[in-house]
Structure formats: structure tokens, C-alpha cells
Amino acid sequence: MSRRFIIDTDTASDDAVALVMALRWPGDPITIDAITIVAGNVPLEQASRNARFVVELCGADTPVHDGRDRPLVRAPHDAMFFHGPDGLGGMNYPPPRRAVAGSDAVAELVRRFRESPGEITLVTLGPLTNIAAALEVDPELAGRVRECIVMGGAACTVGNITPAAEYNIWCDPEAARIVFRSGMKVLMVGWELCRADANLDDGDIERIRMLGNELSRFVIDSNRSALLANREWLGDPGLALPDPVAMAIALDPAVCTERGRHFVDVSCDDELTRGMTVVDRHHVTEREPNIDVCWAIDVARWKQTLLRTLA
């Protein structure tokens, strides 16, 4: 029986790789029911264009639905400084031929989970605006999601947009707080899991290029801005791919080697800690655990998962 996913994304370079992995997964059968678009890394229109381009590149026909074009209560703040002016490394890929399937991703999320309760895994690769908006329309949505894999947060570590916060959560902390407090079954995959040895190093990048196909070239070329920024701005050794790491866990749960259930909340009220994911790892607050947190991954398995989808 095919597993079913819905992917919510602010499609820039690492999101694009995660979409490729899901759309071309060579393992057990997976159906991508829909891709929903949210503003974040790039404005909504660009994120939608990028997602539709990737769907075509993969030879798929997954419908793409546009969602919210800004955070719930805050001004939008893109990350094109990291991903390039088009979110895909400034490669100027041609516009997609396929049109948007719909312009109300929130209604689409509510409809699909109502029709198939407990059957669909939600994978979020951007700010949680669409998901929070859907929960505001239908609070029962939380119990209808089979599991929500959230690429976001920084579990007891430094952030990548402020010292305290990871970009997706920082971008719309109010939305993240709604989702984390909703009772939805959430696995938080923090950005720190793609760092250090989990970076694609020069050898990994060369192995991908040597596959010599259109997808392998796209994966590296579209991330050229991210690679440069990761090395010069963050000081990491290679290419960090947080969204593909989260997608690898969604596709192959064994990639996550250590996880725990903890009380987690999101800071919204103080600019110094805006978007911080406060994880009570040692149960010092005595609050009821509400979120599963991935603490460690099998780095070799994550990289092999990526290579399998591109080969």
C-alpha cells in the first residue's frame, strides 16, 4: 500500500532537493497527494514557480496549490540572500508550463485531511503559516494528520537566522506556536542536524555530479548560492541541506537514530528570542511532552538516501 504525503514548502534550493527526493523516491511506494506553497525563503509567486518547475523536472503531475503570502501577523522576510535571487542559485531556469492547481492551499489542506483522516503524512519545509491557518479554520485537523515532519527549529543549540532561532520558525513564530500547541503528532527536525559531517562535502558533491543526469546537475547547480553562503556566512565545511534531511527522515524513518518526546514551545513575545524553539529535554518544567524531537541522524544513511533518488 502506498504511503501518502502532502508537502508544504517555500520552495528554494534545499526545498527543491527535498521535492526531488519525494517525487523520485525509489523505495516503497509513496504518493505525493499535493504540494502547498507558503511565502518564506522567496515570495509566494516565486516559490510556486520553483515548485512547479521541480514537479515537471521529475516528470510528475502532482498538483501545486498556492497558500499564504505572508506570516500570520508579521511582515514577510525572505532568505534570498542565502538562496539567490530566484531561490534556485540565480540559475534562471525556464518558467514551468503547468499552471497552479489552486490558490487556496489552506482550504485544500482542510479538505484533504477531512477526506482521509489518519492516512496522510504532512511534511513542512517552510514557515508554518498555512498549517496554522488551516488549524484556525478546522482545529480537528490536528487529529487527522497521520504525522507532521517539521523541518524547523533548533533543539538546544544556536540558530541560523538569529543566535536563538532557525529561519522557518523565526519567520512566523505565531504560526509555529499554534501548530506546536495543537496536539498534532509532530516530529521536529532541527536545522542543526544537517551540519558538520551531515554537510555535503566536496567528495559528496563530486559523486552527485558524476551521476551525470539532469536531476543530479540540478541539485548541485541550484544550491550554488547556498553552498557559498554556508561556507562564508555560517562557516560550515560544505553544503547544508536541512529540508532534504527532514525529507530523508520522512521517507526512511531509520535515518533518525535518536528521538525523544518533550515539552516544546515557541518564543513569540521577545525579539531577542523570537522564534526560539524551547525544548525541555530534561523535564524541568514538568509540562506534558507535546513534540517529538530528532536529536541525531545516521549521516551515511541520509546521504545514501539522497544518492538513491538521484541515481
Side-chain angles (χ1 to χ4, degrees):
M1 183 177 177
S2 177
R3 290 189 287 159
R4 298 169 62 187
F5 285 12
I6 290 176
I7 302 169
D8 190 77
T9 171
D10 57 341
T11 324
S13 53
D14 64 321
D15 307 69
V17 179
L19 290 178
V20 168
M21 293 172 68
L23 292 165
R24 294 295 297 260
W25 173 240
D28 59 312
I30 288 175
T31 299
I32 311 301
D33 284 24
I35 297 169
T36 53
I37 305 299
V38 66
N41 285 324
V42 292
L44 183 74
E45 182 179 358
Q46 185 68 56
S48 176
R49 171 176 167 150
N50 293 347
R52 286 178 282 128
F53 176 79
V54 174
V55 170
E56 288 182 1
L57 190 67
C58 291
D61 58 1
T62 305
V64 175
H65 297 264
D66 289 357
R68 295 299 177 93
D69 66 354
R70 62 191 59 245
L72 294 180
V73 299
R74 299 182 187 251
H77 191 290
D78 66 61
M80 289 188 286
F81 73 94
F82 192 90
H83 295 283
D86 59 357
L88 297 178
M91 291 295 294
N92 298 311
Y93 293 109
R97 295 180 299 275
R98 64 188 300 116
V100 176
S103 57
D104 192 348
V106 171
E108 189 68 13
L109 287 164
V110 171
R111 180 184 72 81
R112 287 183 178 270
F113 283 107
R114 277 180 178 168
E115 291 179 355
S116 304
E119 296 180 14
I120 304 173
T121 296
L122 178 60
V123 183
T124 69
L125 307 176
L128 292 168
T129 314
N130 285 339
I131 316 308
L135 284 165
E136 290 182 330
V137 171
D138 180 12
E140 298 302 315
L141 176 79
R144 298 188 178 111
V145 175
R146 181 180 180 88
E147 184 177 27
C148 182
I149 312 294
V150 171
M151 190 285 112
C156 303
T157 187
V158 298
N160 64 357
I161 192 69
T162 74
E166 176 274 332
Y167 171 80
N168 286 343
I169 306 298
W170 175 90
C171 189
D172 195 345
E174 286 78 13
R177 177 180 276 184
I178 288 169
V179 174
F180 281 26
R181 291 181 175 184
S182 70
M184 188 180 294
K185 183 181 179 182
V186 170
L187 173 64
M188 187 179 96
V189 181
W191 89 284
E192 69 278 3
L193 297 169
C194 73
R195 304 194 73 189
D197 291 344
N199 272 198
L200 298 188
D201 60 25
D202 289 338
D204 298 319
I205 291 170
E206 182 60 23
R207 277 187 285 277
I208 291 172
R209 282 206 180 275
M210 286 179 65
L211 293 172
N213 60 53
E214 189 175 22
L215 286 174
S216 64
R217 289 190 293 270
F218 171 75
V219 162
I220 301 304
D221 292 344
S222 66
N223 277 281
R224 63 180 188 173
S225 293
L227 174 60
L228 187 65
N230 202 56
R231 284 176 167 164
E232 294 188 354
W233 181 49
L234 294 176
D236 278 1
L239 177 59
L241 293 173
D243 290 336
V245 168
M247 185 61 73
I249 292 169
L251 295 168
D252 178 8
V255 171
C256 176
T257 57
E258 181 184 352
R259 64 189 284 172
R261 188 161 181 81
H262 311 281
F263 172 70
V264 184
D265 207 349
V266 179
S267 175
C268 297
D269 304 323
D270 180 33
E271 275 305 303
L272 183 65
T273 58
R274 166 185 168 177
M276 182 179 183
T277 46
V278 182
V279 180
D280 183 8
R281 188 171 192 177
H282 300 297
H283 198 50
V284 295
T285 65
E286 300 184 356
R287 301 280 296 274
E288 187 70 24
N290 60 329
I291 301 292
D292 284 353
V293 176
C294 178
W295 290 106
I297 64 169
D298 182 331
V299 169
R301 191 167 183 136
W302 127 243
K303 292 182 179 182
Q304 187 57 38
T305 303
L306 174 61
L307 285 167
R308 284 181 66 194
T309 63
L310 299 177

